[in-house]
Amino acid sequence: MPLGLRLLRDGPVADAHHLLLLASRTLRATDVVRSREAGVQASLAAWSAGDREGYLTALDALSPPAGEIPAADAHDPVDAFWRAYGDGMRSVLDGDFEHAEALLGPVVNVLSAQQQPSRLLSAGTIALILGDLATARQVLGQALATARSEATSTLLPRILEHLAYAELRAGRHHQARVHAEAGLEAAAEHPQRNVTAGLSAILALAASIAGDPADVAAHAQAALHIAHAHGLTQARTLAEWARARADLGHGNAEHAAARLAPLVAAGPRQGHFGLRMLVVPCYVEAAVLAGYDVDAHEDVEQLLGQYARWASLGADPQAPAIVLRCRALLAGDEHSENLFTSALAEHEKVDSPYEFARTHLAYGMWLRRRRRFVEARTQLRSAVIGFDHCGADVWTQHADAELRAAGETPLTDPSPGSGPQPLPRLTPQQLRIAHSVAQGATNREVARQLSISTRTVEYHLRNIFTQLGVRSRVALARRLES
């Protein structure tokens, strides 16, 4: 068991899973407490590895099947606790979140009441899996305070990793970054490379909407270096998701869609079974913005259907609104507006500042492209404020550029006679396209020069016009010369 625990922190997690599962089975007849401890750790190893079947096998080790329970022990509260935990987590994997909540809610309460860092960490992790972000943040915050007061240094990085992820899921990206950086600092004192990979992936995700592309690349590479060596499918999925979100935020939707496609595909050697649905909305948006012909990409509609079913089960309080936003992006003009307004109404029911702002932005862009500028500005102002509130700096800039294109001049703009202004920040790909177009190249010629599709050139050119506040190729050329 000690070797298995060490590998769980700093080694191949598949090996950790096998050793811990073996220890659990060996100890079952002589020391049921340690047997269950080994089983829980084996389940954590399988989750990190993205091994769904291995995770279920580890759950089986926590309590005997109902038919094997002696009559005298059928009502033992400890056995009942473990049966509820095992059955609840199986319900999560089966997508029955209502049953899972009924079983695991009391488990979270029992663990939280013990006020021990390890128990609070477990309670917060379960709440995260159930999509109860408010409880997860509260309980994990208690775990952090307790661990620091007790100087429980070995647990500190893991607690900070889960708390950072909870903040990230809640759309609080600056807080996520602060906790993840503290986690990396704590992990450096007691080498825990697997935790370091998870923390680096979370930093990459935070930076993907609140930082520089170079930061995303550095954090993602740090996570992937360990993830590939140690079989950490969860960390790998998060890191690749971060790279795709950075692509999307900086106008490269085609690259984003290509990165995300394997993560949302079902089956082995793809994304993580517990994260797949969370990635779907990002893939749908990237596919739409990349100009995919949805009729020719049935996977987009099929995935959105799967996500909608998952959302209906109560897996994530933000999901019903996100489903409507995605459907609005895919719908024809006659249906999109009602879907966008319905999505905004759903957002009002939950605390989801980042996703709320994403919907305001998508609706504002839709209105602006139909030259409904007054209505567009209302949505885009809300998007700017929302992104700024939750620290999504990349998207704040994007929404502000859309607001300018809709005709609103920020108060910080210089007076007309104050001379030429510096260009807004364009990605290297956008700069190449902008300069080629300014020199007279057609979209087809640019596509051939850069080995990309004409549709991708058109997409980038729309974003370039938006960010530079121009409406024609002639105006673009003049803007680049200024």
Side-chain angles (χ1 to χ4, degrees):
M1 186 167 164
L3 177 57
L5 291 173
R6 188 160 67 249
L7 291 174
L8 178 59
R9 294 189 299 269
D10 194 27
V13 286
D15 294 351
H17 175 257
H18 294 313
L19 285 169
L20 291 164
L21 196 56
L22 177 62
S24 179
R25 290 168 174 164
T26 302
L27 292 165
R28 189 165 184 165
T30 59
D31 191 338
V32 69
V33 173
R34 292 187 66 214
S35 171
R36 282 171 171 156
E37 180 185 348
V40 168
Q41 299 301 320
S43 73
L44 296 178
W47 187 280
S48 295
D51 180 0
R52 188 180 190 277
E53 294 308 313
Y55 185 79
L56 289 170
T57 301
L59 290 180
D60 291 339
L62 298 179
S63 61
E68 297 180 13
I69 302 172
D73 297 335
H75 301 293
D76 181 273
V78 175
D79 285 340
F81 171 90
W82 286 106
R83 282 197 301 277
Y85 174 77
D87 291 345
M89 294 309 298
R90 288 186 193 90
S91 295
V92 168
L93 266 61
D94 290 339
D96 188 350
F97 283 86
E98 184 176 353
H99 190 221
E101 172 63 33
L103 291 168
L104 293 173
V107 170
V108 170
N109 292 336
V110 169
L111 291 170
S112 300
Q114 297 180 37
Q115 290 297 305
Q116 299 174 22
S118 62
R119 301 292 188 266
L120 289 165
L121 172 59
S122 297
T125 301
I126 295 169
L128 258 178
I129 291 171
L130 290 174
D132 186 352
L133 302 181
T135 298
R137 293 171 60 229
Q138 177 188 354
V139 173
L140 290 167
Q142 293 173 354
L144 179 60
T146 306
R148 282 173 168 163
S149 67
E150 296 179 2
T152 314
S153 56
T154 55
L155 264 184
L156 206 55
R158 284 182 57 205
I159 293 172
L160 285 161
E161 177 189 7
H162 285 74
L163 182 55
Y165 182 63
E167 296 287 12
L168 198 70
R169 287 278 307 277
R172 291 164 172 80
H173 304 92
H174 286 323
Q175 294 94 323
R177 187 175 66 233
V178 168
H179 289 311
E181 288 172 346
L184 282 179
E185 186 177 340
E189 298 176 9
H190 301 274
Q192 300 183 42
R193 282 180 291 175
N194 293 350
V195 177
T196 296
L199 288 161
S200 297
I202 290 168
L203 278 172
L205 271 169
S208 70
I209 65 165
D212 188 270
D215 292 335
V216 179
H219 292 309
Q221 189 55 44
L224 291 168
H225 177 72
I226 301 169
H228 288 311
H230 290 179
L232 303 170
T233 300
Q234 181 181 16
R236 177 178 63 80
T237 299
L238 292 174
E240 292 291 359
W241 186 14
R243 294 165 82 179
R245 291 211 312 185
D247 286 337
L248 186 60
H250 289 89
N252 200 336
E254 196 164 74
H255 278 187
R259 286 191 194 278
L260 292 166
L263 303 185
V264 297
R269 303 181 64 81
Q270 304 293 337
H272 189 278
F273 65 87
L275 300 175
R276 179 171 172 257
M277 284 296 107
L278 295 175
V279 179
V280 166
C282 195
Y283 174 67
V284 171
E285 185 168 353
V288 170
L289 292 177
Y292 282 16
D293 182 349
V294 175
D295 292 334
H297 289 77
E298 294 181 1
D299 62 314
V300 177
E301 285 282 7
Q302 290 173 355
L303 281 167
L304 184 54
Q306 293 172 23
Y307 181 79
R309 288 191 292 276
W310 179 79
S312 70
L313 297 169
D316 187 332
Q318 305 172 100
I322 298 172
V323 169
L324 290 166
R325 181 179 76 218
C326 289
R327 291 210 181 284
L329 290 170
L330 291 173
D333 281 0
E334 66 275 17
H335 301 299
S336 291
E337 185 155 18
N338 286 338
L339 289 165
F340 275 126
T341 55
S342 297
L344 292 172
E346 283 293 327
H347 279 301
E348 293 283 2
K349 301 175 184 179
V350 295
D351 182 19
S352 56
Y354 172 68
E355 294 297 345
F356 204 169
R358 288 291 295 271
T359 300
H360 279 301
L361 174 61
Y363 187 21
M365 290 170 63
W366 185 87
L367 290 166
R368 187 184 72 76
R369 281 155 177 71
R370 282 147 190 84
R371 305 187 68 78
R372 293 165 59 179
F373 297 122
V374 174
E375 297 163 279
R377 288 196 290 269
T378 299
Q379 297 300 324
L380 294 169
R381 285 189 209 105
S382 296
V384 170
I385 293 168
F387 287 134
D388 187 62
H389 174 69
C390 63
D393 299 341
V394 171
W395 288 95
T396 301
Q397 295 170 16
H398 186 60
D400 188 62
E402 284 283 340
L403 188 56
R404 288 168 181 262
E408 180 156 311
T409 304
L411 295 176
T412 54
D413 266 12
S415 60
S418 62
Q421 299 304 310
L423 291 176
R425 184 169 189 163
L426 299 179
T427 67
Q429 183 81 309
Q430 288 173 331
L431 281 171
R432 285 191 288 270
I433 292 171
H435 284 296
S436 295
V437 169
Q439 291 166 9
T442 65
N443 289 359
R444 183 170 295 179
E445 289 169 341
V446 175
R448 190 164 53 247
Q449 292 169 10
L450 301 179
S451 299
I452 56 179
S453 70
T454 304
R455 185 167 290 177
T456 299
V457 174
E458 293 168 353
Y459 167 74
H460 281 306
L461 199 54
R462 286 196 299 271
N463 284 334
I464 291 165
F465 278 18
T466 296
Q467 292 187 62
L468 298 187
V470 299
R471 297 185 181 181
S472 69
R473 291 171 182 255
V474 173
L476 172 62
R478 289 174 179 165
R479 183 74 172 89
L480 292 179
E481 290 171 0
S482 63

